[in-house]
Amino acid sequence: MRKPIIAGNWKMNNTIAEGTKLIKDLAALVADVTEVDIVVCPTATALEAVANACGNTKLHLGAQNVHWEQNGAFTGEISTAMLKELCVEYVIIGHSERREYFAETDETVNKRTKAAIAAGLIPIVCCGETLEIREAGTTNAFVGGQIKAGLADLTADQVANIVIAYEPIWAIGTGKTATSDQANEVCAFIRQTVAEKFGKDAANKVRIQYGGSVKPSTIADLMSKSDVDGALVGGASLKAEDFSNIVKF
Ligand code: PEP
């Protein structure tokens, strides 16, 4: 019912030369895949070259951030129009690294998300708890709060078309994948939160990814779960073979 979506977050990795080589290798490996939306999210400097390399392949282009204003004195930021100009379709918003190192808040996540949707970009809105929050047993309350604040003021139709990435911070880049049951439990809770706020139809349509040390060996189990519709992949998206094997779960 919901088309799986696997996105690779390259973070601050890959020069233009490295990125275009990766796309060439990846495109060949996933040429036969039709039933999964595949998204690659390079750094801003490589977007244009990667857009060209994606050309007529199955790969969709995503950015790692976007600002909510259309232009102006916002040094280092990028507008929706600038991304659209480069054929970007998706944009990661509120990744935990942006929240931790660059003062991203639920409020700025909400502003970026609204701007992305208004411009016709599909936001991949990230949420997820720290180890302390999980150990305190307050994961649902925390993640539910991030979802409600991050998606504030959106309509049901808008929410139906976005992507949410549940990424427990303790599993990102640590090699510790959440078990498929842990991932599904929170993804199901996010869907329930969406249902309460935006209605059942939006909840049934919104795609929810799991992210956190996803590897070729863990993806099949994760994707077998009822509320996991895909993955946001960091480290393993930097190798064409690994990422293609994740895409072909
Ligand atoms: C991420 O950056 O979104 C991520 C999940 O990273 P990794 O797969 O390396 O844990």
Side-chain angles (χ1 to χ4, degrees):
M1 181 185 60
R2 292 182 293 269
K3 189 174 184 187
I5 176 164
I6 309 274
N9 174 14
W10 292 2
K11 310 192 185 188
M12 198 172 72
N13 293 295
N14 286 336
T15 60
I16 288 174
E18 290 162 344
T20 47
K21 161 93 171 63
L22 177 52
I23 293 298
K24 199 167 157 248
D25 295 345
L26 181 62
L29 290 168
V30 300
D32 295 337
V33 177
T34 52
E35 64 284 0
V36 178
D37 283 335
I38 310 167
V39 185
V40 289
C41 304
T43 53
T45 53
L47 279 172
E48 184 170 13
V50 170
N52 291 334
C54 285
N56 292 328
T57 71
K58 301 268 163 60
L59 306 176
H60 297 269
L61 187 63
Q64 296 178 17
N65 194 17
V66 71
H67 199 262
W68 55 89
E69 293 291 348
Q70 292 184 3
N71 50 48
F74 303 103
T75 304
E77 293 284 334
I78 301 180
S79 74
T80 55
M82 292 164 187
L83 295 183
K84 295 281 289 181
E85 205 174 29
L86 298 176
C87 303
V88 170
E89 295 172 81
Y90 294 83
V91 57
I92 298 171
I93 294 178
H95 190 279
S96 62
E97 287 152 16
R98 301 248 12 125
R99 292 178 189 259
E100 183 175 356
Y101 306 129
F102 303 100
E104 192 82 73
T105 64
D106 288 338
E107 194 190 353
T108 56
V109 167
N110 182 242
K111 287 182 176 180
R112 294 185 205 276
T113 301
K114 287 193 280 195
I117 292 171
L121 294 163
I122 300 174
I124 300 176
V125 181
C126 301
C127 60
E129 81 286 1
T130 61
L131 190 57
E132 291 70 36
I133 291 170
R134 176 155 285 266
E135 286 175 349
T138 52
T139 295
N140 285 0
F142 181 78
V143 172
Q146 286 183 316
I147 292 297
K148 284 180 198 154
L151 307 187
D153 309 322
L154 299 192
T155 66
D157 283 350
Q158 288 173 332
V159 173
N161 288 307
I162 68 166
V163 178
I164 296 173
Y166 165 57
E167 300 206 302
I169 295 168
W170 48 272
I172 296 180
T174 59
K176 283 187 202 164
T177 318
T179 66
S180 55
D181 284 334
Q182 283 174 322
N184 196 51
E185 200 180 307
V186 183
C187 289
F189 173 76
I190 291 169
R191 201 175 302 285
Q192 184 194 319
T193 304
V194 169
E196 283 160 17
K197 212 167 147 45
F198 300 98
K200 276 202 168 147
D201 188 52
N204 284 336
K205 287 181 178 156
V206 68
R207 293 188 288 178
I208 306 178
Q209 298 174 312
Y210 165 78
S213 298
V214 172
K215 304 180 215 43
S217 59
T218 57
I219 187 69
D221 188 25
L222 287 160
M223 293 303 291
S224 73
K225 297 294 170 182
S226 59
D227 286 283
V228 178
D229 304 318
L232 182 54
V233 184
S237 72
L238 299 175
K239 291 198 177 124
E241 202 178 336
D242 284 350
F243 193 55
S244 69
N245 284 330
I246 290 172
V247 165
K248 292 188 216 169
F249 66 89

